[in-house]
């Protein structure tokens, strides 16, 4: 199914861009999302993905859709 979509940016790249647009460090974002700093780093490196509940929290925190985070919309 992933062949159906052409992703311009990965989830990690989008998360990093959103974080940096708010001038937040990884530690600050981790506190906001109630996760460890290492989790933010792993997400941004696309080494693991957030759970659905964390994806919802990220979406709400940054005011973007889950589709945006997933790369389904620009």
């Amino acid at each position: 199914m992933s062949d159906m979509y052409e992703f311009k940016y990965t989830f990690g790249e989008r998360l990093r861009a959103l974080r940096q647009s708010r001038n937040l460090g990884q530690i600050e974002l981790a506190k906001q999302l109630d996760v460890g700093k290492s989790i933010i780093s792993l997400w941004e490196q696309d080494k693991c993905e957030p759970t659905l509940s964390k994806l919802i929290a990220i979406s709400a925190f940054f005011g973007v859709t889950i589709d945006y985070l997933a790369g389904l919309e620009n």
Side-chain angles (χ1 to χ4, degrees), residues 6-54:
E6 183 179 325
F7 299 104
K8 186 172 181 179
Y9 299 103
T10 66
F11 167 77
E13 290 169 330
R14 286 175 185 255
L15 179 61
R16 182 180 305 113
L18 287 167
R19 178 179 59 77
Q20 290 175 339
S21 74
R22 293 241 184 130
N23 294 315
L24 291 172
Q26 289 182 339
I27 293 172
E28 295 163 307
L29 181 57
K31 287 178 184 176
Q32 290 293 323
L33 299 175
D34 195 29
V35 297
K37 182 250 180 220
S38 61
I39 295 296
I40 302 297
S41 178
L42 290 170
W43 289 345
E44 288 186 358
Q45 294 175 55
D46 293 305
K47 292 190 176 181
C48 71
E49 297 175 343
T51 63
L52 180 57
S53 62
K54 290 302 177 188

